[in-house]
Every structure is written in C-alpha cells, then in structure tokens.
Amino acid sequence: MQTNLRGRDFISDLDFSKEEVETVLDVAWDLKRKRALGIPHPYLRDKTLAMLFFYSSTRTRSSFEAGMAQLGGHAAFIESRTTQIHHGDTAKEIGEILGRYFDGIAIRHVDWGIGNKYITTVAQHSRVPVLNMQCDIYHPFQILADLMTIMEKKGRNLRGKRLVVSWAYAASYLKPVSVPQSLILQMPRFGMDIVLAHPPEFPLMPDIVEEAKSLARKYRVGFDIVDDMDAAFKDADIIYAKSWGPLVVTTDPEEGKRLQDKYKDWIVDARRMALAKEDAIYMHPLPADRDIEVTSEVLDGPQSVVYDEAENRLHVQKAVMALTMA
Ligand code: CP
C-alpha cells in the first residue's frame, strides 16, 4: 500500500500510480462501510474545499459537497460566471488566492483546448492540492468510481475481463471526450482487455490513444479499436457506452451534429446487450440521452449498474480528499 498522497494534485488519471489507486480504493471501501454503519469519519474537520465550476454538473457537485460535509469539512460552490473570473481573474491568481483561503481546490473546466491547461496552471500556483472534477482531456474521479464499481461486480482480479468503451449516439450536445480517454488510460493497469469502438469521425486524441496502447502492452492486455458496435459487444464483460463529440475532427457545433446524426443506430438496446456475455454489466457516467444513447429497457434493466456507479463517486472522492487534504 502506497500512502504518500498528502498534498498531491489529481489532474490526470496517471498522476497516481497503480498502487496509489489501490490505496484510494481501500480507503473508499472503508468510508463506504463507515457510512453504511453510521460511523462518523471526520478526517477533514475544519478543512475547506473550493469547488470551481466552468460547466454544469449534478453528480460531481453533489457528491463533492456531500463528501466534504461527511468528512467534517465544508465545500464552497463557486461558479466562474458569477465571479470576477468572468472579468479577468487569471488562472495564476486563482491558484495563488484560493490556495490561501482553502485546503483544496477542485475545478471542472471542459472547454476544448483550454480546460486542462487552466487546471494545470492553477495547480502550478496553488499551495494546496488541485483536484480535476473533469477537463477537456480527463475525468479521473469518474473512472475511479467506475473501477470501484467494476471490482464490486466482477471481483478484484480483472485480468481477462473484456471492457468495451463504445461511442453512442446523442442528440443533445457535443459531449466531452474525457470519460473514454480516462477509461482507456486507467483500466489497462488493472488487467482488463480494452475494446474501443467508435465511428471513423469520432477518434480520441491521438496522444492519449498511443499512451493507452503503450500501457496495454506494459500490462499485457488487449487493446483493439473497431468501428462496429455489434462486433465490439460480442463476449464483453463490461459495456461502457456513451456519446462524445467529434472534437478531434471539428469543434463546430453544426458540423458536429451533422456527423453525429449519421450514426443514430449506435444505441445500446436489448439486442446489442444480448451479444455480450450473459452476466455483462452496463455502465454509463450519466447524464444519458434516454432512449437515444441507450434504451430505458437497458438503462433501468437488471444489467445496469449506473446507480451504484454514481454512488461510488462519493466514496472515491472522499478517499482522495482525505488522503490528499488531511
Ligand atoms: N458523471 C458526471 O460527471 O456527472 P455530472 O456531469 O452530473 O457531474
């Protein structure tokens, strides 16, 4: 067990080693057990977290805020558009100043080509840990919760399990690529074979895919990229299918929508789930475009673990905050 996390930032999935992620999961299960038993666990009494949002959220905001309260501390919700950031406070100033008021700074900023750079700059100028609540490149807390959920459903030894990370159609907006990118970076370290499925116009960032391939080689797991949803689903243990925008190809909303609309048949339904193993689980970080990305039959069905997945955001985030901010 590696416990050297105090004072550390968590911005990319790979900022914590595999052993450090295992420590986070150990602590997360302990905190989950304590909450279930009603055992107080105020490891961050009198500590404060700044939660700075440039983008909307339901689960991330709620789970960080609830988590800080359960740890005995306080989380302050700060929206960029209602602060002087809107009028010119720079990332350096935010790091310097919020770092003096708070014991941790958590940021969500998903603007393409901007979000990760912003969070990294804040971290360079902050004297307290900076936590990435999702940027344009990574969504590391989502993937810690996903890993915890997969281990709860499939066991701690995941070697040989087939994880399908698939694009799915959505009509609402061009969603970030951070979830699939973080999945293909984090999961090879835990022994899963990765199948990445998407239409040709929806590639992930080439550097991220190369890094993921290199990790797959290092950890001796499979890594395949296909453009056929049915082929990807065959014999899968875990189906993780969600929409993302064609942002590597275009950031123009109209052109993006035109490309998305070519693939309306990329939906997770009962027929496709039947191609996977009988005991396969269905995962989605939510929000989902119901009956567009995934049918209600699957989303609400017995193979879906989306509510456990959402719950585990709370436990992994509390674990990381307790380990980095104590
Ligand atoms: N999964 C997730 O990050 O949800 P929110 O966008 O609601 O925070």
Side-chain angles (χ1 to χ4, degrees), residues 53 55-63 108 133-134 139 142 173 179 240 242 284-287 309-310 313 317:
F53 282 88
Y55 187 73
S56 57
S57 166
T58 305
R59 281 143 292 271
T60 304
R61 176 188 173 180
S62 309
S63 52
R108 169 171 279 195
M133 297 194 291
Q134 189 178 19
H139 196 352
Q142 179 65 54
Y173 62 103
V179 168
Y240 200 124
K242 77 173 299 297
H284 192 295
L286 304 178
E309 187 182 358
R313 291 291 303 276
Q317 287 159 197

Side-chain angles (χ1 to χ4, degrees), residues 10 13 21 24-25 28-29 32 59-60 63 108 133-134 137-156 158 161-166 176-188 190 192 194 237-242 244 281-287 303-317 320:
F10 189 46
D13 304 84
V21 170
V24 169
L25 294 179
W29 274 305
K32 188 171 185 175
R59 281 143 292 271
T60 304
S63 52
R108 169 171 279 195
M133 297 194 291
Q134 189 178 19
I137 304 177
Y138 310 112
H139 196 352
F141 285 101
Q142 179 65 54
I143 274 53
L144 289 181
D146 298 337
L147 181 58
M148 183 175 183
T149 309
I150 292 170
M151 286 184 172
E152 288 175 347
K153 306 300 177 191
K154 296 288 174 191
R156 306 277 173 104
L158 296 170
K161 297 293 182 200
R162 182 176 164 100
L163 167 65
V164 174
V165 178
S166 177
V177 297
S178 46
V179 168
Q181 295 200 154
S182 282
L183 282 167
I184 66 171
L185 289 174
Q186 187 68 271
M187 298 312 189
F190 291 87
M192 283 171 269
I194 309 293
D237 295 284
I238 302 129
I239 299 292
Y240 200 124
K242 77 173 299 297
W244 63 82
I281 56 173
Y282 167 80
M283 303 184 76
H284 192 295
L286 304 178
Q303 289 170 285
S304 172
V305 298
V306 296
Y307 297 125
D308 289 339
E309 187 182 358
E311 177 188 336
N312 285 336
R313 291 291 303 276
L314 175 73
H315 307 302
V316 296
Q317 287 159 197
V320 172

Side-chain angles (χ1 to χ4, degrees), residues 10-127:
F10 189 46
I11 297 173
S12 156
D13 304 84
L14 305 180
D15 285 348
F16 292 173
S17 69
K18 178 172 184 274
E19 272 186 83
E20 288 166 345
V21 170
E22 287 165 349
T23 302
V24 169
L25 294 179
D26 270 350
V27 173
W29 274 305
D30 181 51
L31 294 173
K32 188 171 185 175
R33 191 178 307 112
K34 285 190 166 82
R35 179 162 162 74
L37 292 170
I39 299 172
H41 41 277
Y43 300 127
L44 295 180
R45 182 170 283 147
D46 300 331
K47 301 272 184 177
T48 53
L49 175 75
M51 302 188 304
L52 175 54
F53 282 88
F54 289 76
Y55 187 73
S56 57
S57 166
T58 305
R59 281 143 292 271
T60 304
R61 176 188 173 180
S62 309
S63 52
F64 268 99
E65 194 162 335
M68 269 306 282
Q70 290 162 21
L71 290 168
H74 172 74
F77 173 64
I78 305 167
E79 266 188 307
S80 63
R81 67 185 173 83
T82 55
T83 67
Q84 301 290 25
I85 293 169
H86 200 54
H87 295 138
D89 279 336
T90 65
K92 175 182 174 179
E93 289 159 4
I94 292 299
E96 284 284 353
I97 296 165
L98 296 192
R100 295 171 192 223
Y101 298 158
F102 293 92
D103 300 289
I105 305 172
I107 305 174
R108 169 171 279 195
H109 195 332
V110 303
D111 287 359
W112 185 248
I114 297 172
N116 184 266
K117 288 191 183 81
Y118 182 91
I119 295 174
T120 304
T121 306
V122 172
Q124 282 163 358
H125 297 282
S126 165
R127 59 182 66 182

